[in-house]
Structure formats: structure tokens, C-alpha cells
Amino acid sequence: MTTKWTKLLVTFSLIWLQPAFADKDNNGILSLRDRAQVIDTHLDDRLENLLPTLMRREGIDMWILISREYNEDPVLKTMLPANWLSARRRTILVLFDPGKDEEGNFQAIERLAVARYNVDTMFRKSWDKEQQPNQWDSLVELIKQKNPQKIALNKSTTVALADGLTATEYEEFKTALGANLQSKIVSSEPLAIAWLETRSEQEMEVYPSIVKLSHNIVAQAFSNDVITPGLTTTEDVVWWLREKVAALKLQTWFHPTVSIQRASDEKFDQLQAFSKRPELQTIMPGDLLHLDFGITYLRLNTDQQQHAYVLKKGEKDAPEYLKKALANGNKLQDIFIANFKEGRTGNEVLAMSRRQAIDQGIKPAIYTHPIGFHGHAAGTTLGMWDSQGGVPGEGDYPLHANTAYSIELNAATFIPEWQKEIRIMLEEEAFFDGEKVEYLHGRQKQFHLISSE
């Protein structure tokens, strides 16, 4: 697709997206048909303009993705057009970089499908079953014809999303390939991660509006539209969120949670907070509510954690001691994102951020992850809630420019009025352009307030 038409379509999508996000009830979200146009425009742009740069950066001239229907490689799924909801039969995608032409100019990446069908306009069908009945033999013939230096396959011991090639497909491919060509097989891990983590300009045109939509849903959930103190339970809010998202013809990529911290003898339990769903509780005046929620729209994901305070009768705002706790969480966010630097590993950023926070009197826990095509996406991991000393493997991966993250962390604060420690658990989407980190639609700096009157 030409740049002219690409820009026109992106403009079209933005015209229709914005009113949806501004409306209180979030009406007017793109129809499925219009979403498909936006998704395919983004994909076409990524394949045409982003993929060549990534393949050359990682030194891979042939990338092969193989999947059977309903057992799809997670990377291959991101390359299927919007009207392909799964692979068909056995789908084999081949991406080949022919290098420079005689004049020294890079040639276009060849996108081929060794499959029974064309993959829309994204990949050209290169297998004629009537002429060559064996699909594996056809693939090997193509490889020999192109004579790549490397044959990259989605195999990885550390990154699940880069390990999508099944054992059966790998063994059958190797057998068909033969011993002479097997020496060219390499892991596509760095390229697969790069493809998944790198956000395009077109995607970043719409991503902030998707985050805004998610924020609007959170704001409504944390309001008297949904919550009546003394009657509404945390599970009521959870299922309202699920119903709301379903009514918008969207999806949640994980089951939301809503939990309560309050002036009681109950202490914060980290294991329960991160590995178990909160028990059903009735929401009462004076409660500090926490919500964890995310949606999928236009193949991009959100992941947010915010807090609300339930006003007691006569109160107009949250108590100062809770505001100070939230400010500690914001301060930890500032310390953390200031340490993002291209080439720095996640473990390095984690260690220096924790050290600085502790020196400033903050009790931190940092567990930030990439986000994009997947909620817990491939890329640089910056801590896990139970791995504050660093994450081997994914935490050793360096930060790259044009990547998005869920800035997820918590700051513990002792509340004398409650005689216990509470956690302000925050999570917001942000984009790292290689120099700075910017939130896609702001961050929480004030509590949502719910009236009890």
C-alpha cells in the first residue's frame, strides 16, 4: 500500500476513534470491519517498512514461521491479516532478504507463503500442490533457490513468545531439510523479540487513544455509577468490567481484579496480592480500592492499576496520609523511568532504581514488563514482584528505542492512622523513544473518589 493511502486510512481511523473515547459511555468504537482495515494497514506498514530494518539489524536473511491451524506460533499470529483468525491447515511464512542489488541498493523483503492459500496481500502463495504435492519438499526447494546464509526459526529457551515452533514441526522440517542445510539453522529469538516489541509510528498514532479508552472504563468502574458503598462487592465491580468490555465488542486479556485496603488488622499479603484473586468483599466508606484491568483493541493491549477512595460521610477528599502514600508511588515512578537508557539491561535499570528509591526513603517493588501485541509482551523485563534482585534471561535483554512498557510497581508506606503498612500499586502504559519515557495517556496522581452520601 502506498504511503499516501496509508496516511489517509490512519487519518480515517483517528477521526472515528476520537469521538468514541470522548463519549462517557464509550459509544462509537470502530466496527469490526473498520478495525480490520486499521489492523491490516498497520501490518502492511510494519512488513514493508519495519521488518527490513529489524532483519538487517539482527543479521538474519531468512526467517521461517511454521504453524498448524489452532496451534499458532504467537509471532505468526501477529503477521496474519485481520480476516485470518487462525492459520489454515499448515501455514508456512517465509521472509527473505535478497540483500543489495547491483547498484548497491537494498531490495525489498520477499514475503512468501508456502501454503495452500495466499495470505491476503501480505504473503504471496508460492506452493502449487498440484505440481509439488509435498509441502515440505516445496519449502526446501525454495530455500535452496534463495540460498540464505541463515535459516531463523522461532526457538528460544528463555522467551516464550519467541519459542512458537512446535516439536513436531521442527523435527519434520529438519528431516526434510537434510543434513547439509541444517547447519544454517539459527534461533530467531533476537528478531522475534524485535518484531514483537518495536512499535511503529502508525501504531503510536492510535495507542494513546486506546489507553484513554481503557482509562475511561476504569473511571466509570470507580464511580457511583457502579459502586454503592455498603452494597457493592469487589466481585460486582470485576464482573461489571467484564460485561462493559464485552458490550463494547472488545476483550480483556486477563480477568480483572478489585481489592481493598482498609483500617483493620489485616496486613498486606504480597503472595495473595500477586498470585491469588482477592476474596469477595463489600465496599465500605473509608476503603482504599485497587483495580487491575486491561483491554485488547486493534491488536494492542493496555494494562492499568489505579486506586479509588470511598469517602466517609462529610468527607470531600481523601485523607492527607493516603495522598502522601500516592505521592510516594508517583515519586518511585519518576525515579524509575528516569533510568531508562538505550542499551541498558532491565536488571541494570531495576537495581539502580531500587537503590535510588531506598536512598530517598521509599520502600519499592518494581515489576515492569513490555506491552504491545501481548499484555505481558516480549522484550526487556524490569523486575518481577518475586524477583527484585533481577530476572535472569529476559532481564538481561537491553532496552531498545520505540518500545512500549507497562510501568508497573508499588511503594509501601506506613500509615500511623491505620497502624499498618499499605501498598500503592500503580501501572500505566508508556513509550520509550530511545531518549525519554512518556506516558501514553498520563498517570494517576489523584484518587478516584466515590461518594457515600
Side-chain angles (χ1 to χ4, degrees):
M1 183 176 290
T2 66
T3 302
K4 174 184 175 182
W5 285 107
T6 295
K7 288 182 177 179
L8 284 173
L9 187 50
V10 170
T11 300
F12 164 81
S13 71
L14 289 171
I15 289 171
W16 283 95
L17 285 167
Q18 296 300 333
F21 302 146
D23 186 76
K24 178 183 176 183
D25 295 323
N26 299 310
N27 294 321
I29 291 173
L30 289 175
S31 68
L32 295 179
R33 184 174 186 174
D34 289 340
R35 294 183 211 184
Q37 287 184 297
V38 175
I39 288 168
D40 286 349
T41 298
H42 289 178
L43 177 56
D44 189 60
D45 172 64
R46 288 177 63 88
L47 290 169
E48 187 74 22
N49 300 311
L50 177 61
L51 182 67
T53 300
L54 299 179
M55 289 185 70
R56 289 158 193 162
R57 186 184 87 185
E58 301 304 334
I60 291 174
D61 57 344
M62 180 173 280
W63 189 12
I64 299 178
L65 300 92
I66 308 169
S67 288
R68 283 179 290 177
E69 194 167 8
Y70 308 136
N71 192 27
E72 289 82 16
D73 179 325
V75 179
L76 181 138
K77 287 205 73 163
T78 69
M79 293 185 180
L80 296 179
N83 62 354
W84 276 50
L85 303 185
S86 64
R88 297 179 182 175
R89 302 187 186 179
R90 177 187 286 116
T91 298
I92 301 175
L93 304 181
V94 178
L95 297 151
F96 176 65
D97 181 5
K100 296 181 179 179
D101 60 21
E102 294 179 355
E103 297 179 355
N105 299 312
F106 279 112
Q107 301 177 75
I109 300 295
E110 297 180 23
R111 308 197 305 258
L112 305 168
V114 183
R116 198 71 172 104
Y117 312 95
N118 282 317
V119 182
D120 205 272
T121 60
M122 309 298 178
F123 293 84
R124 177 173 56 84
K125 178 175 174 286
S126 67
W127 176 40
D128 185 343
K129 186 176 180 180
E130 282 64 42
Q131 297 296 320
Q132 172 53 275
N134 189 293
Q135 188 176 12
W136 292 117
D137 288 346
S138 180
L139 174 60
V140 172
E141 287 176 10
L142 176 64
I143 293 171
K144 290 178 177 178
Q145 175 191 343
K146 302 300 181 183
N147 190 28
Q149 298 300 305
K150 295 179 180 178
I151 302 171
L153 303 175
N154 289 352
K155 289 174 56 65
S156 171
T157 58
T158 58
V159 181
L161 289 170
D163 191 39
L165 183 62
T166 67
T168 298
E169 300 297 274
Y170 180 56
E171 291 303 322
E172 290 194 11
F173 174 63
K174 279 206 311 179
T175 299
L177 193 60
N180 291 337
L181 290 174
Q182 287 179 19
S183 62
K184 293 188 175 186
I185 294 176
V186 299
S187 169
S188 67
E189 179 183 298
L191 177 55
I193 295 173
W195 169 261
L196 293 175
E197 74 168 350
T198 306
R199 305 273 60 84
S200 69
E201 289 186 18
Q202 287 189 11
E203 288 168 338
M204 294 313 300
E205 294 254 5
V206 300
Y207 215 158
S209 293
I210 297 171
V211 176
K212 182 179 180 181
L213 167 59
S214 192
H215 278 165
N216 286 350
I217 297 171
V218 170
Q220 190 174 1
F222 272 163
S223 76
N224 289 104
D225 287 352
V226 176
I227 296 174
T228 301
L231 294 176
T232 306
T233 69
T234 51
E235 279 294 278
D236 291 335
V237 182
V238 166
W239 285 104
W240 179 89
L241 287 164
R242 290 291 302 272
E243 293 286 356
K244 177 69 175 180
V245 173
L248 294 172
K249 298 181 182 179
L250 301 175
Q251 292 179 317
T252 54
W253 62 272
F254 65 95
H255 190 64
T257 61
V258 176
S259 58
I260 298 173
Q261 295 180 85
R262 57 170 50 133
S264 68
D265 294 334
E266 185 180 3
K267 305 296 184 183
F268 181 86
D269 185 328
Q270 180 162 289
L271 181 62
Q272 179 173 332
F274 292 103
S275 64
K276 297 181 181 178
R277 288 178 54 193
E279 296 179 0
L280 182 149
Q281 293 177 293
T282 300
I283 296 168
M284 302 296 293
D287 283 348
L288 177 64
L289 307 182
H290 167 263
L291 174 152
D292 192 356
F293 168 74
I295 62 171
T296 304
Y297 185 43
L298 301 176
R299 285 195 180 168
L300 296 169
N301 291 275
T302 71
D303 193 359
Q304 288 140 7
Q305 294 182 50
Q306 294 194 2
H307 291 270
Y309 177 71
V310 186
L311 297 166
K312 298 177 182 178
K313 288 187 177 181
E315 285 185 323
K316 301 298 183 184
D317 201 353
E320 286 300 317
Y321 54 81
L322 290 182
K323 290 184 182 180
K324 290 179 180 178
L326 177 57
N328 280 342
N330 291 150
K331 188 175 182 181
L332 178 57
Q333 289 174 320
D334 293 339
I335 291 169
F336 177 56
I337 66 173
N339 287 322
F340 275 54
K341 183 178 180 181
E342 193 169 5
R344 223 173 238 170
T345 69
N347 289 335
E348 289 172 340
V349 175
L350 173 68
M352 62 198 308
S353 300
R354 281 182 50 81
R355 184 170 58 251
Q356 292 169 14
I358 292 168
D359 287 346
Q360 295 184 39
I362 298 173
K363 185 176 179 181
I366 298 170
Y367 32 95
T368 287
H369 58 85
I371 194 164
F373 289 137
H374 303 92
H376 294 155
T380 305
T381 297
L382 301 105
M384 291 183 176
W385 67 267
D386 55 353
S387 298
Q388 288 297 284
V391 182
E394 290 171 280
D396 296 317
Y397 188 71
L399 289 165
H400 289 91
N402 302 319
T403 49
Y405 300 86
S406 277
I407 305 299
E408 184 179 8
L409 45 74
N410 76 62
T413 301
F414 183 78
I415 305 295
E417 291 81 356
W418 291 5
Q419 281 299 297
K420 68 178 184 181
E421 184 179 84
I422 68 165
R423 303 288 181 105
I424 297 295
M425 296 171 280
L426 300 172
E427 185 171 15
E428 296 290 353
E429 274 65 73
F431 179 68
F432 176 55
D433 65 5
E435 296 183 0
K436 62 184 181 303
V437 176
E438 290 189 350
Y439 292 102
L440 297 189
H441 185 247
R443 56 173 171 160
Q444 184 175 31
K445 300 179 76 172
Q446 296 178 332
F447 293 112
H448 299 275
L449 299 176
I450 299 167
S451 174
S452 296
E453 298 183 0

